[in-house]
């Protein structure tokens, strides 16, 4: 029953969601009760996005979003009530996002703090500070975000395609804006933007979770009721894109490893009747191995991936097909295959089976969108943005009503040359440029000597081993420095031996909590002072503890390396371990562990490994209740003692990749890291036990978690080997054939053919650093379809154990080696790969050798190892979900 609160006008109900309007100012309020967990999501969506920007202030919506976290009248650092301290101290997850048609701010938090979130959002709706000093620091943060995005060839190409497809409409520019606007937009312009759009009658408040509706509406009124509606009408974005009068093309050339092709067509608004047929068509084209373009492009080794997306926007968007090409593949070949397939659809249409598979995939995905309060709020947020929140409720019905004939009709209407824009990304040095584009009127003005190269290979074909400079800058401290042709950007990753397995036996969380405290302030500077220093230059430093290593990751501009190294070493050397920060951390972590009790994936995986490994083994997972007790029994002194005993130089690895001078970096790091003590941890300790190779196949273990519309299934067994074993790469490829990606057997059958699941995969896990790992399969199923899902999964494993095919192996070799190269095309991917390789004790040359090791694997070896390490007679099977509901539906 809707509430009869007199301060609100009840508007309507749909799909379990109630709409109210606050009478005093027009604020729309959407509520949906979900008592499956004692949490709630509060989200405010403003009807303003990058479509409301113009030349000179592109990116303003996004920059303003950042400034909204810098303080308001009642929530600010001066009062000790900053956004982060007030909400994170109670275990909340908070953030904001900006997109073409909206800006949203959200808090996922324990239910008892919903009122606090409402008070915060109401305060910053009209009382945000938005001052020049904050703009200056946040500008560098946003600019660095812009630069990181520019490192991604696919991202850069997509931005160019949109800018070419749209000449008048504001979708022409990306949400983050142009660099010059980010740097130069005046604070007065941002204040004007805020004063124009940030009003209750231009916003929708969404609350999803465990609440009492009458109390909630009272709290909403108390927080927002006194805010006046805007004194002016909210301006509409009225610019319409002129009709396109011919095909367009754009080329992006920069350092990279693989070519990318995008073919785009102007598509209808999200609320237009033609949107749903185009959305189904996108799935028919690229979702899963059974899709048309996966069959004709990916399975033939021409691309490592191909995707298709129909824009879900307020105004006309783009229907974009993107292919990431494998080495040596020509753009024109893949382009012709795509165009031929599109013409075939226009001429002959699509089949009923194709449409039904796509509908089943969408149904599962949309059902999965309701698993969790934040997920519901996020999907609802996008429907709000396009103009009608009820689209979230109606979309499953509209998609299920799509017929093959309607798909052919919309293809003929929209997939036409006069609506087309084609984008090409060429890695510099790719000879295909001249082959495809050189004409009598074109001159190549760039000499071969001056051409930039990809991250992976130099002009002379130099391998990584030749380009990474390895130096022992101090006893026990190895530096891996690599200069790459990317302007200004530097990625730093490193590790020390002080991870979870070095924790005292009585509390396995000591190592991980110590790492979590590193960024909570030092003996010299508070966490806020450090945060402000980093923010002032747009840099980031993060820490986390793995099984054996505590790792750090940094992003910055090359000019700011001295500052970042100063802060990094200070955080490693002398964290404060203050009681206040420690207690706040424990609260947040306990809330997170508590939430995991409702996580079907986590609970099923925990049970699986508990049935394979003994307590104390690196792969063993403690129950959520045990973990909570471990966390509550910690104290700050335990962490400080652990830090004193384990942190310092020893087996330290540091990787620095980007726009650097290797000698300068080496000298800086030597100077800074020489101030750290020496750690006694020089090697990985021996395993306390081995996983059981004697488990027996039994009945499915069921873990009941109430009110879950989706369940998780895990099956698996111990394999008894680690990543260094000679059988590992063949087993890895065998596993990839079964369930490594969308075109693998499990997705092709259990998902694409039978429509039983949104996602299913097989995996090898826990095989690092000499640890004996395990193999498994995991998938999500509606509880009433779990039995069918389990049966279909086991059937596919049985068929897989009878042997893989030569074509499957060759396809997966291409996919694996192509994906490996893609990972090495950015500074982050390079740094991560080099660090992990170093931690394994391998030389950099192993990264050069890896693709060849994959290519040399034979089908005979693959079929030998899959039978050797996977045994259906000893698999453990676990599922977590709402099975009483499932039984009632059968």
């Amino acid at each position: 029953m809707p509430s009869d609160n007199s301060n609100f006008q009840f508007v309507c109900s749909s799909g379990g969601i109630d709409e109210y309007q606050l009478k005093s100012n027009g604020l729309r309020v959407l509520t949906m009760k979900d008592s499956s967990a004692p949490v709630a999501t509060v989200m405010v969506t403003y009807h303003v996005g990058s479509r409301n920007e113009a030349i000179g202030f592109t990116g303003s919506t996004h920059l303003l979003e950042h400034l909204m976290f810098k303080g308001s009248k009642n929530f600010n650092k001066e009062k000790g009530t900053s956004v982060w301290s007030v909400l994170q101290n109670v275990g909340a997850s908070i953030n904001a996002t900006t997109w073409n048609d909206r800006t949203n701010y959200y808090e996922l938090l324990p239910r008892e703090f919903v009122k606090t979130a409402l008070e915060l959002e109401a305060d910053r709706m009209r009382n945000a500070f938005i001052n020049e000093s904050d703009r200056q620091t946040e500008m560098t943060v946003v600019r660095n975000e812009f630069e990181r995005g520019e490192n991604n060839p696919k991202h850069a190409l997509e931005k160019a395609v949109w800018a070419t497809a749209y000449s008048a409409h504001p979708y022409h520019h990306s949400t983050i804006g142009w660099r010059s606007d980010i740097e130069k937009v005046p604070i007065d312009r941002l204040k004007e933007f805020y004063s124009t759009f940030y009003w209750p009658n231009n916003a929708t408040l969404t609350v999803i979770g465990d609440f009492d509706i009458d109390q909630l509406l009272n709290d909403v009124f108390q927080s927002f009721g006194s805010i006046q509606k805007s004194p002016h009408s909210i301006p509409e974005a009225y610019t319409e894109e002129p009709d396109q009068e011919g095909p367009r093309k754009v080329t992006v050339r920069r350092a990279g490893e693989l070519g990318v092709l995008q073919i785009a067509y102007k598509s209808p608004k999200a609320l237009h009747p033609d949107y749903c047929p185009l959305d189904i068509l996108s799935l028919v084209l690229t979702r899963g191995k059974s899709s048309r373009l996966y069959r004709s492009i990916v399975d033939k080794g021409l691309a490592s991936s191909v995707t298709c997306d129909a824009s879900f926007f307020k105004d006309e968007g783009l229907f974009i097909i993107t292919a990431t090409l494998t080495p040596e593949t020509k753009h024109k070949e893949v382009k012709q295959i795509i165009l031929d397939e599109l013409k075939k659809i226009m001429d002959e249409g699509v089949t009923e089976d194709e449409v039904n598979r796509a509908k089943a995939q969408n149904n599962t995905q949309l059902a999965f969108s309701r698993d969790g309060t934040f997920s519901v709020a996020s999907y609802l947020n996008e429907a709000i943005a396009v103009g009608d929140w009820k689209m979230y409720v109606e979309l499953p019905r509209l998609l299920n009503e799509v017929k093959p004939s309607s798909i052919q009709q919309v293809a003929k209407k929209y997939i036409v040359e006069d609506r087309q824009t084609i984008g090409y990304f060429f890695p510099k040095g790719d000879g295909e440029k001249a082959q495809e584009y050189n004409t009598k009127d074109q001159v190549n003005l760039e000499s071969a000597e001056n051409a930039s190269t990809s991250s992976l290979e130099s002009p002379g074909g130099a391998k990584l081993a030749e380009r990474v400079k390895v130096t022992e800058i101090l006893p026990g401290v190895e530096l891996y420095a690599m200069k790459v042709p990317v302007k200004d950007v530097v990625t730093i990753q490193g590790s020390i031996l002080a991870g979870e397995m070095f924790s005292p036996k009585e509390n396995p969380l000591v190592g991980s909590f110590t790492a979590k405290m590193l960024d909570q302030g030092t003996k010299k500077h508070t966490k806020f002072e450090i945060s402000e220093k980093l923010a002032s230059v747009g840099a980031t430093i993060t820490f986390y503890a793995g099984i054996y290593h505590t790792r750090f990751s940094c992003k910055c501009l090359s000019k700011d390396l001295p500052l970042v190294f100063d802060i990094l070493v200070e955080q490693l050397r002398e964290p404060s371990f203050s009681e206040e920060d420690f207690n706040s951390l424990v609260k947040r972590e306990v809330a997170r562990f508590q939430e995991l009790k409702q996580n079907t994936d986590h609970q099923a995986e925990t049970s699986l490994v508990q049935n394979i490994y003994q307590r104390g083994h690196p792969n063993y997972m403690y129950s959520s209740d045990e973990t909570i007790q471990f966390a509550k029994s910690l104290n700050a002194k335990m962490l400080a003692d652990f830090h004193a005993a384990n942190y310092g130089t020893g087996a330290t690895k540091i990787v620095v990749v980007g726009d650097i001078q290797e000698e300068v970096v080496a000298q800086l790091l030597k100077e800074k890291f020489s101030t750290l003590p020496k750690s006694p941890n020089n090697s990985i300790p021996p395993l306390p036990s081995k996983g059981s190779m004697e488990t027996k196949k039994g009945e499915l273990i069921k873990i009941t978690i109430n009110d879950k519309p989706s369940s998780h299934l895990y099956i698996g067994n111990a394999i008894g080997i680690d990543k260094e074993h000679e059988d590992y790469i063949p087993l890895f490829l065998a596993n990839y054939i079964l369930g490594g990606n969308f075109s693998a057997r499990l997705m092709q059958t259990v998902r694409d053919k039978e429509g039983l699941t949104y996602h299913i995969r097989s995996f090898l896990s826990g095989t690092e650093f000499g640890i004996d790992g395990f193999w498994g399969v995991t998938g999500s199923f509606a509880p009433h379809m779990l039995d069918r899902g389990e049966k279909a999964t086991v059937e596919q494993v049985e068929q897989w154990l009878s042997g893989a095919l030569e074509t499957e192996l060759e396809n997966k070799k291409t996919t694996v080696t192509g994906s490996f190269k893609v990972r090495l095309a950015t500074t982050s991917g390079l740094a991560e790969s080099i660090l992990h390789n170093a931690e394994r004790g391998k030389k950099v040359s192993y990264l050069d050798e890896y693709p060849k090791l994959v290519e040399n694997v034979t089908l005979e070896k693959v079929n030998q190892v899959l039978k050797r390490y996977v045994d259906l007679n000893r698999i453990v099977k676990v599922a977590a979900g709402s099975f009483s509901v499932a039984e009632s539906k059968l």
Side-chain angles (χ1 to χ4, degrees), residues 185-203:
V185 62
I187 191 65
D188 289 343
R189 168 69 81 173
L190 295 175
K191 288 181 177 179
E192 178 185 348
F193 206 74
Y194 174 72
S195 296
T196 301
F197 293 104
Y198 277 66
W199 295 92
N201 51 307
N202 194 46

mmCIF file of all heavy atoms in Angstrom, residues 185-203:
data_model
loop_
_atom_site.group_PDB
_atom_site.id
_atom_site.type_symbol
_atom_site.label_atom_id
_atom_site.label_comp_id
_atom_site.label_asym_id
_atom_site.label_seq_id
_atom_site.Cartn_x
_atom_site.Cartn_y
_atom_site.Cartn_z
ATOM 1 N N VAL A 185 37.845 26.087 -17.981
ATOM 2 C CA VAL A 185 36.502 26.544 -17.651
ATOM 3 C C VAL A 185 36.534 27.340 -16.341
ATOM 4 O O VAL A 185 37.073 26.885 -15.333
ATOM 5 C CB VAL A 185 35.517 25.355 -17.548
ATOM 6 C CG1 VAL A 185 35.898 24.395 -16.438
ATOM 7 C CG2 VAL A 185 34.096 25.859 -17.361
ATOM 8 N N PRO A 186 35.992 28.574 -16.328
ATOM 9 C CA PRO A 186 36.060 29.412 -15.120
ATOM 10 C C PRO A 186 35.073 28.950 -14.058
ATOM 11 O O PRO A 186 34.030 28.358 -14.357
ATOM 12 C CB PRO A 186 35.711 30.804 -15.643
ATOM 13 C CG PRO A 186 34.902 30.561 -16.878
ATOM 14 C CD PRO A 186 35.420 29.294 -17.487
ATOM 15 N N ILE A 187 35.383 29.243 -12.821
ATOM 16 C CA ILE A 187 34.528 28.823 -11.707
ATOM 17 C C ILE A 187 33.143 29.469 -11.818
ATOM 18 O O ILE A 187 32.127 28.860 -11.429
ATOM 19 C CB ILE A 187 35.191 29.169 -10.347
ATOM 20 C CG1 ILE A 187 34.428 28.472 -9.192
ATOM 21 C CG2 ILE A 187 35.264 30.664 -10.147
ATOM 22 C CD1 ILE A 187 34.493 26.980 -9.224
ATOM 23 N N ASP A 188 33.066 30.668 -12.359
ATOM 24 C CA ASP A 188 31.762 31.316 -12.500
ATOM 25 C C ASP A 188 30.857 30.541 -13.444
ATOM 26 O O ASP A 188 29.632 30.491 -13.252
ATOM 27 C CB ASP A 188 31.933 32.755 -13.002
ATOM 28 C CG ASP A 188 32.520 33.672 -11.936
ATOM 29 O OD1 ASP A 188 32.480 33.282 -10.747
ATOM 30 O OD2 ASP A 188 33.019 34.748 -12.288
ATOM 31 N N ARG A 189 31.438 29.954 -14.472
ATOM 32 C CA ARG A 189 30.653 29.144 -15.399
ATOM 33 C C ARG A 189 30.105 27.909 -14.690
ATOM 34 O O ARG A 189 28.950 27.525 -14.888
ATOM 35 C CB ARG A 189 31.506 28.751 -16.603
ATOM 36 C CG ARG A 189 30.897 27.680 -17.494
ATOM 37 C CD ARG A 189 29.674 28.187 -18.234
ATOM 38 N NE ARG A 189 30.028 28.953 -19.407
ATOM 39 C CZ ARG A 189 29.148 29.393 -20.299
ATOM 40 N NH1 ARG A 189 27.862 29.139 -20.104
ATOM 41 N NH2 ARG A 189 29.520 30.103 -21.350
ATOM 42 N N LEU A 190 30.918 27.298 -13.839
ATOM 43 C CA LEU A 190 30.462 26.120 -13.096
ATOM 44 C C LEU A 190 29.378 26.489 -12.091
ATOM 45 O O LEU A 190 28.406 25.752 -11.905
ATOM 46 C CB LEU A 190 31.644 25.466 -12.388
ATOM 47 C CG LEU A 190 32.727 24.877 -13.303
ATOM 48 C CD1 LEU A 190 33.900 24.356 -12.473
ATOM 49 C CD2 LEU A 190 32.165 23.768 -14.167
ATOM 50 N N LYS A 191 29.540 27.628 -11.427
ATOM 51 C CA LYS A 191 28.500 28.092 -10.489
ATOM 52 C C LYS A 191 27.189 28.367 -11.225
ATOM 53 O O LYS A 191 26.095 28.053 -10.723
ATOM 54 C CB LYS A 191 28.973 29.351 -9.767
ATOM 55 C CG LYS A 191 30.070 29.107 -8.744
ATOM 56 C CD LYS A 191 30.469 30.402 -8.052
ATOM 57 C CE LYS A 191 31.513 30.149 -6.978
ATOM 58 N NZ LYS A 191 31.937 31.404 -6.298
ATOM 59 N N GLU A 192 27.300 28.954 -12.401
ATOM 60 C CA GLU A 192 26.104 29.221 -13.202
ATOM 61 C C GLU A 192 25.426 27.911 -13.602
ATOM 62 O O GLU A 192 24.200 27.791 -13.569
ATOM 63 C CB GLU A 192 26.486 30.026 -14.445
ATOM 64 C CG GLU A 192 25.318 30.318 -15.367
ATOM 65 C CD GLU A 192 25.754 31.003 -16.653
ATOM 66 O OE1 GLU A 192 26.920 31.451 -16.729
ATOM 67 O OE2 GLU A 192 24.933 31.069 -17.592
ATOM 68 N N PHE A 193 26.227 26.934 -13.968
ATOM 69 C CA PHE A 193 25.702 25.630 -14.350
ATOM 70 C C PHE A 193 24.972 24.993 -13.168
ATOM 71 O O PHE A 193 23.870 24.449 -13.305
ATOM 72 C CB PHE A 193 26.872 24.740 -14.803
ATOM 73 C CG PHE A 193 26.485 23.655 -15.772
ATOM 74 C CD1 PHE A 193 26.180 23.954 -17.095
ATOM 75 C CD2 PHE A 193 26.446 22.330 -15.368
ATOM 76 C CE1 PHE A 193 25.830 22.950 -17.985
ATOM 77 C CE2 PHE A 193 26.100 21.327 -16.258
ATOM 78 C CZ PHE A 193 25.789 21.637 -17.571
ATOM 79 N N TYR A 194 25.586 25.069 -12.005
ATOM 80 C CA TYR A 194 24.987 24.548 -10.772
ATOM 81 C C TYR A 194 23.668 25.258 -10.465
ATOM 82 O O TYR A 194 22.649 24.615 -10.163
ATOM 83 C CB TYR A 194 25.988 24.730 -9.639
ATOM 84 C CG TYR A 194 25.494 24.368 -8.247
ATOM 85 C CD1 TYR A 194 25.296 23.045 -7.877
ATOM 86 C CD2 TYR A 194 25.265 25.363 -7.297
ATOM 87 C CE1 TYR A 194 24.864 22.710 -6.594
ATOM 88 C CE2 TYR A 194 24.839 25.047 -6.018
ATOM 89 C CZ TYR A 194 24.639 23.725 -5.667
ATOM 90 O OH TYR A 194 24.220 23.398 -4.410
ATOM 91 N N SER A 195 23.665 26.573 -10.546
ATOM 92 C CA SER A 195 22.469 27.358 -10.222
ATOM 93 C C SER A 195 21.347 27.141 -11.231
ATOM 94 O O SER A 195 20.181 27.367 -10.922
ATOM 95 C CB SER A 195 22.823 28.847 -10.168
ATOM 96 O OG SER A 195 23.725 29.106 -9.118
ATOM 97 N N THR A 196 21.703 26.694 -12.412
ATOM 98 C CA THR A 196 20.695 26.460 -13.444
ATOM 99 C C THR A 196 19.998 25.115 -13.282
ATOM 100 O O THR A 196 18.775 25.012 -13.426
ATOM 101 C CB THR A 196 21.335 26.539 -14.848
ATOM 102 O OG1 THR A 196 21.921 27.832 -15.033
ATOM 103 C CG2 THR A 196 20.298 26.287 -15.938
ATOM 104 N N PHE A 197 20.750 24.088 -12.927
ATOM 105 C CA PHE A 197 20.216 22.733 -13.017
ATOM 106 C C PHE A 197 20.019 22.004 -11.687
ATOM 107 O O PHE A 197 19.257 21.034 -11.635
ATOM 108 C CB PHE A 197 21.117 21.886 -13.914
ATOM 109 C CG PHE A 197 21.114 22.307 -15.354
ATOM 110 C CD1 PHE A 197 22.179 23.016 -15.893
ATOM 111 C CD2 PHE A 197 20.039 22.006 -16.169
ATOM 112 C CE1 PHE A 197 22.179 23.410 -17.224
ATOM 113 C CE2 PHE A 197 20.032 22.394 -17.505
ATOM 114 C CZ PHE A 197 21.096 23.105 -18.033
ATOM 115 N N TYR A 198 20.679 22.411 -10.634
ATOM 116 C CA TYR A 198 20.612 21.655 -9.380
ATOM 117 C C TYR A 198 19.471 22.171 -8.496
ATOM 118 O O TYR A 198 19.669 22.933 -7.557
ATOM 119 C CB TYR A 198 21.960 21.706 -8.661
ATOM 120 C CG TYR A 198 22.945 20.664 -9.174
ATOM 121 C CD1 TYR A 198 23.433 20.725 -10.467
ATOM 122 C CD2 TYR A 198 23.350 19.602 -8.377
ATOM 123 C CE1 TYR A 198 24.309 19.771 -10.964
ATOM 124 C CE2 TYR A 198 24.226 18.633 -8.854
ATOM 125 C CZ TYR A 198 24.698 18.720 -10.143
ATOM 126 O OH TYR A 198 25.556 17.765 -10.622
ATOM 127 N N TRP A 199 18.265 21.710 -8.838
ATOM 128 C CA TRP A 199 17.050 22.078 -8.128
ATOM 129 C C TRP A 199 16.186 20.838 -7.940
ATOM 130 O O TRP A 199 16.248 19.895 -8.725
ATOM 131 C CB TRP A 199 16.265 23.139 -8.900
ATOM 132 C CG TRP A 199 16.979 24.450 -9.011
ATOM 133 C CD1 TRP A 199 17.802 24.849 -10.017
ATOM 134 C CD2 TRP A 199 16.948 25.526 -8.076
ATOM 135 N NE1 TRP A 199 18.288 26.107 -9.781
ATOM 136 C CE2 TRP A 199 17.777 26.558 -8.597
ATOM 137 C CE3 TRP A 199 16.293 25.739 -6.860
ATOM 138 C CZ2 TRP A 199 17.959 27.771 -7.926
ATOM 139 C CZ3 TRP A 199 16.471 26.947 -6.201
ATOM 140 C CH2 TRP A 199 17.296 27.955 -6.721
ATOM 141 N N PRO A 200 15.332 20.824 -6.915
ATOM 142 C CA PRO A 200 14.513 19.630 -6.664
ATOM 143 C C PRO A 200 13.569 19.287 -7.812
ATOM 144 O O PRO A 200 13.297 18.113 -8.063
ATOM 145 C CB PRO A 200 13.753 19.969 -5.379
ATOM 146 C CG PRO A 200 13.828 21.448 -5.245
ATOM 147 C CD PRO A 200 15.123 21.849 -5.868
ATOM 148 N N ASN A 201 13.045 20.296 -8.513
ATOM 149 C CA ASN A 201 12.132 20.030 -9.623
ATOM 150 C C ASN A 201 12.872 19.591 -10.887
ATOM 151 O O ASN A 201 12.240 19.372 -11.927
ATOM 152 C CB ASN A 201 11.249 21.248 -9.919
ATOM 153 C CG ASN A 201 12.042 22.524 -10.090
ATOM 154 O OD1 ASN A 201 12.841 22.893 -9.228
ATOM 155 N ND2 ASN A 201 11.824 23.228 -11.188
ATOM 156 N N ASN A 202 14.202 19.432 -10.804
ATOM 157 C CA ASN A 202 14.984 18.867 -11.914
ATOM 158 C C ASN A 202 15.715 17.608 -11.458
ATOM 159 O O ASN A 202 16.751 17.246 -11.994
ATOM 160 C CB ASN A 202 15.992 19.899 -12.436
ATOM 161 C CG ASN A 202 16.582 19.498 -13.778
ATOM 162 O OD1 ASN A 202 15.854 19.083 -14.680
ATOM 163 N ND2 ASN A 202 17.896 19.608 -13.911
ATOM 164 N N ALA A 203 15.173 16.953 -10.418
ATOM 165 C CA ALA A 203 15.864 15.797 -9.839
ATOM 166 C C ALA A 203 14.872 14.689 -9.508
ATOM 167 O O ALA A 203 13.679 14.935 -9.308
ATOM 168 C CB ALA A 203 16.622 16.206 -8.577
#
